[in-house]
Amino acid sequence: MQPCPRGPLALDFPPISLETSCTPLAQAVEQAFAADGVLSRAEPGFRPRPGQTEMALAVARTITHGGVLVAEAGTGVGKTFSYLVPALLSGERVLLSTATKALQDQLYGRDLPRLVQALGRPVRTALLKGRSSYLCLHRLEQARQDGAAHDGSVAQALARIELWAQSTRSGDLAELPGLDERSAAIALATSTRDNCLGSQCPRFRQCHVNQARREALAADLVVINHHLFFADQAVRESGMAELLPTVRVVVFDEAHQLNETGVLFQGIQLGTGQLLDFTRDLLATGLGQARGMADWQGLSAQLEHAARDLRLLGGRAAPGARLPWTEEAPQGLAAVAWQAALGQVAQACAQALQSLDVVRDMAPDFVRLQARAAALSASLERFAGPCAEAAVRWVDVGLQLRLVEAPLDIAQSMRALLQGPALEGGAGGAVPGPVADVPRAWIFTSATLGDEPSLRWFTGACGLEGAEVLRVESPFDYAAQAALYIPRGLPPPSDPGHSLELAQWVGDAAARLGGRTLVLTTTLKALRLMGDALQARFAGSADIEVLVQGLGPKRRLMDRFRAGGGCILVASATFWEGFDVPGDALQMVVIDKLPFPPPGDPLVQARSQRLQQAGRSPFKDYALPEAAVALKQGAGRLIRHESDTGVLVIGDTRLLTMGYGKRLLKVLPPMRRLQTEQEFGEALQALTRTSTTDHPCP
């Protein structure tokens, strides 16, 4: 936890009383953002931005009076300071949720300490992640007994974790330098909700997860992530479920990800990987603590074979596919074989449950295994019946087969949460105590929340129809800093040769620019095609290095690209947002095609069908807004600072030929338009290198 030191820059603001008007907090916030305010003295390069102050005052008003604020703040506004400053000055307990663990680390390790010291408030802050982010000492002690631990790379990673375990205080694996986030050793050294022994664990007193939760419960401001928020809301276990009723202010940053994160946690899931994890734990615990009390090898082998047979049924589908499941079996799978495979898994779980009932009193591990077997059986029974009303069911195909049933959005659950019944404290979400008459303050913010003034794309899916909406434009001079170019000679995206021709075009442009190019693809197939083509072209080049997502840890790829020196990074999915490269290391962003949601996706189909039944247009009211938000996110990778310059290239001529192209072009920053290849070439020549080390604080 980080206590707040009082330094020479501390402001002597009076305590903010919620019994008075909002004036004290508003005045304190306005003073902090003034040209001669505390931020200008504490942050090198800080300068007042009207949009940043406007958003900060809106946040202060919401904190003071309660209610819901939805704030879209364009790139460069400095939204992080806009919500952190009023939150820290308010004297309230605050829960801050962001999209990823990486953003959590940035907020907690960089932004918060600077502001806490600058504002001089005695604020205690804490960082809380899901249990799989923390070292489990009990699991680490057992890890060497696992067969996977004998693999060379896994054994090496485990040795590093064991050495680090002797000195770490937090147990947060993000603090272990060089640990590959894809390493199988992480699963061996961490716990999950399924296999955690809780208070029965022999290392419970030293548990890093419980230590983090204790610090969170004692803190004034806690940084979590959306996954943890929804996971804990789903099970109401200790941690978040205890924390939320004690705070009056909740802030969601990167809120555009809330709906997609929430739907997965508010349904049910069952994966073959989950079954195999249970099988391994059953075998290891049975042989280690109750050898001879049951046929542990036979039980585990039966369940393992049943799980693998279930996985093989989806073997013909492409990895990453989502198979709609509206009938007895998922699309493309034989109903008889599917039901038989589920039955075999259910039978194996039932037999394991029966054997565990005999030995459950021998050790806490067996109690937990029995609970896991019961939960697996309950999920299997649920999937054996019909899909719930207002939900959609599908099967994810990947390294494992994952059965999913989820609601279409989080609107209903969020309405219940905001209105109070799901929270302790009575009607309206009010908190008992001296401020019981002031409802909770809920702040939702992101750089991209929709393509229309009402931000209906976000507020509708999240049940925030009555929220105050604020849109703050970016302060960047896009017309001077950036240009947009749509190559006219490329084949349409539906053409099988589109990716390879675009890769050839990108190679020519990047060679002239000296690398400094980020290619964002909308599909994994395009990622592979373009990545392979560009790697082949620049193989052996001393000037340009081609990096491809998936061929190395994500963090290493990001660090290498940011270091500059002439790189092309071909990426998809998570690189579309949250990837910042200010300066000259990135001066061209290429988006391969318009990011419409995949029409064959079961969730997309179900949402489209619901709109159609309501008399609305699935394309205009769903597909187009989804594409607009994603396009805006991808384009936002180019300009991250006032001194950045660059070119955005979109390799999709539908922007020029289709009627909806104008709507999508309007969501992009107001860059100058390049009409010809000659103008594009001149823009490349005009790009100059700028400093990547001296950036004023936003």
Side-chain angles (χ1 to χ4, degrees):
M1 215 183 302
Q2 298 171 345
C4 170
R6 275 193 175 272
L9 293 172
L11 288 179
D12 293 322
F13 292 132
I16 303 302
S17 171
L18 291 174
E19 297 176 358
T20 64
S21 70
C22 66
T23 305
L25 179 55
Q27 287 179 341
V29 168
E30 202 161 17
Q31 181 182 349
F33 283 100
D36 59 348
V38 63
L39 294 179
S40 68
R41 301 196 298 273
E43 294 292 338
F46 175 87
R47 54 181 172 273
R49 296 175 179 173
Q52 186 178 45
T53 305
E54 179 187 8
M55 177 177 166
L57 290 173
V59 172
R61 183 171 62 251
T62 305
I63 291 175
T64 301
H65 299 295
V68 182
L69 172 67
V70 174
E72 183 185 73
T75 306
V77 166
K79 62 180 171 63
T80 304
F81 279 25
S82 288
Y83 63 72
L84 280 182
V85 169
L88 291 171
L89 292 176
S90 69
E92 292 283 351
R93 291 201 72 212
V94 179
L95 189 67
L96 169 56
S97 180
T98 190
T100 64
K101 290 184 286 188
L103 288 171
Q104 274 185 277
D105 292 332
Q106 176 181 307
L107 278 167
Y108 181 73
R110 188 190 72 179
D111 299 330
L112 268 172
R114 289 156 57 192
L115 276 181
V116 166
Q117 183 172 7
L119 297 175
R121 285 292 189 181
V123 177
R124 293 172 298 177
T125 64
L127 179 68
L128 185 61
K129 299 179 181 178
R131 67 174 72 249
S132 61
S133 296
Y134 297 97
L135 172 68
C136 175
L137 297 171
H138 178 58
R139 296 271 298 173
L140 182 63
E141 290 170 352
Q142 298 179 319
R144 290 295 180 182
Q145 302 171 23
D146 194 288
H150 302 296
D151 176 82
S153 61
V154 175
Q156 277 188 329
L158 273 177
R160 294 190 60 213
I161 293 174
E162 288 167 340
L163 182 63
W164 171 75
Q166 300 172 21
S167 59
T168 179
R169 178 186 173 277
S170 71
D172 185 347
L173 288 167
E175 297 176 3
L176 179 54
L179 180 64
D180 189 343
E181 66 268 19
R182 303 169 300 171
S183 173
I186 293 177
L188 299 178
T190 60
S191 67
T192 64
R193 182 170 287 110
D194 286 337
N195 59 35
C196 175
L197 301 180
S199 60
Q200 301 299 311
C201 178
R203 302 300 298 272
F204 181 73
R205 287 183 177 274
Q206 298 85 32
C207 177
H208 292 295
V209 174
N210 287 326
Q211 174 187 318
R213 285 175 170 172
R214 286 193 298 270
E215 293 186 354
L217 287 168
D220 302 304
L221 188 149
V222 185
V223 182
I224 64 168
N225 60 62
H226 303 338
H227 288 84
L228 177 60
F229 177 84
F230 285 112
D232 255 72
Q233 285 297 302
V235 298
R236 302 297 293 172
E237 74 165 22
S238 61
M240 265 295 310
E242 290 180 1
L243 186 64
L244 185 58
T246 69
V247 302
R248 203 187 66 81
V249 179
V250 184
V251 180
F252 291 99
D253 195 1
E254 301 298 323
H256 64 281
Q257 294 193 21
L258 268 182
N259 186 47
E260 296 307 312
T261 301
V263 294
L264 294 180
F265 283 100
Q266 292 179 0
I268 58 169
Q269 299 185 44
L270 176 65
T272 53
Q274 187 180 356
L275 293 168
L276 293 175
D277 286 343
F278 173 76
T279 299
R280 285 191 290 269
D281 291 344
L282 177 69
L283 180 61
T285 306
L287 293 180
Q289 302 187 45
R291 186 182 291 270
M293 297 294 292
D295 181 12
W296 303 114
Q297 289 180 319
L299 287 169
S300 62
Q302 182 183 5
L303 182 53
E304 181 180 353
H305 290 152
R308 295 194 187 280
D309 287 345
L310 183 65
R311 169 64 186 89
L312 288 172
L313 284 179
R316 294 182 179 179
R322 278 184 170 182
L323 307 180
W325 185 0
T326 56
E327 305 294 339
E328 286 188 81
Q331 189 177 81
L333 305 185
V336 174
W338 177 255
Q339 294 298 328
L342 285 181
Q344 287 179 352
V345 176
Q347 183 180 1
C349 284
Q351 292 181 354
L353 190 59
Q354 186 176 2
S355 296
L356 287 166
D357 190 50
V358 176
V359 299
R360 59 164 290 143
D361 295 329
M362 294 183 63
D365 300 78
F366 289 122
V367 177
R368 190 60 194 152
L369 282 170
Q370 186 184 39
R372 290 170 67 184
L376 290 171
S377 296
S379 295
L380 285 162
E381 185 177 354
R382 172 79 173 268
F383 281 113
C387 182
E389 189 178 352
V392 60
R393 186 178 284 183
W394 73 86
V395 169
D396 279 329
V397 181
L399 295 176
Q400 65 166 318
L401 205 67
R402 192 162 55 110
L403 288 62
V404 183
E405 182 179 302
L408 301 188
D409 57 40
I410 62 172
Q412 183 175 352
S413 62
M414 287 299 292
R415 288 189 196 106
L417 188 63
L418 269 60
Q419 290 169 2
L423 300 174
E424 299 174 10
V431 182
V435 290
D437 59 331
V438 182
R440 274 192 173 83
W442 300 84
I443 293 109
F444 301 83
T445 184
S446 172
T448 309
L449 291 174
D451 68 331
E452 57 181 357
S454 67
L455 301 181
R456 189 171 67 167
W457 174 86
F458 174 74
T459 58
C462 294
L464 307 176
E465 291 85 353
E468 176 188 353
V469 173
L470 173 68
R471 302 186 78 185
V472 183
E473 296 297 328
S474 169
F476 294 157
D477 184 357
Y478 280 103
Q481 293 179 247
L484 168 65
Y485 182 55
I486 304 166
R488 297 174 182 269
L490 292 173
S494 57
D495 190 306
H498 175 267
S499 293
L500 290 179
E501 287 207 34
L502 180 58
Q504 175 68 37
W505 188 93
V506 169
D508 294 342
R512 297 168 66 183
L513 190 59
R516 295 185 274 164
T517 299
L518 171 64
V519 181
L520 296 173
T521 69
T522 53
T523 64
L524 293 178
K525 180 180 179 181
L527 170 72
R528 290 190 292 269
L529 286 171
M530 296 192 68
D532 290 346
L534 287 166
Q535 282 188 321
R537 171 165 182 170
F538 293 103
S541 171
D543 301 318
I544 293 178
E545 180 181 2
V546 178
L547 310 170
V548 181
Q549 182 180 352
L551 302 182
K554 179 181 175 182
R555 189 181 304 174
R556 190 181 304 163
L557 292 176
M558 296 169 95
D559 291 343
R560 173 65 192 93
F561 189 84
R562 289 188 181 114
C567 288
I568 302 173
L569 172 57
V570 186
S572 186
T574 54
F575 281 83
W576 277 71
E577 52 188 86
F579 179 39
D580 294 346
V581 189
D584 69 333
L586 173 60
Q587 291 199 306
M588 182 165 69
V589 170
V590 180
I591 295 175
D592 70 332
K593 59 183 179 181
L594 298 177
F596 286 111
D601 184 280
L603 199 51
V604 173
Q605 291 177 340
R607 288 169 174 169
S608 299
Q609 185 177 8
R610 181 175 63 175
L611 285 169
Q612 204 161 22
Q613 291 171 346
R616 296 170 61 189
S617 166
F619 181 73
K620 290 183 179 179
D621 294 332
Y622 176 58
L624 206 52
E626 287 276 332
V629 169
L631 186 65
K632 195 172 179 180
Q633 282 286 344
R637 299 313 98 211
L638 181 63
I639 303 298
R640 307 302 302 175
H641 184 262
E642 287 94 337
S643 62
D644 289 351
T645 55
V647 177
L648 172 66
V649 177
I650 302 177
D652 193 331
T653 54
R654 288 178 295 180
L655 276 171
L656 303 174
T657 60
M658 303 300 291
Y660 56 77
K662 292 181 179 179
R663 178 174 171 180
L664 292 176
L665 285 171
K666 284 179 66 176
V667 307
L668 293 173
M671 306 173 178
R672 65 187 186 278
R673 291 281 300 276
L674 305 176
Q675 302 294 337
T676 65
E677 279 286 334
Q678 181 180 346
E679 290 182 4
F680 172 71
E682 292 170 353
L684 289 186
Q685 289 180 344
L687 287 175
T688 57
R689 294 177 179 262
T690 56
S691 171
T692 59
T693 58
D694 230 3
H695 296 311
C697 170

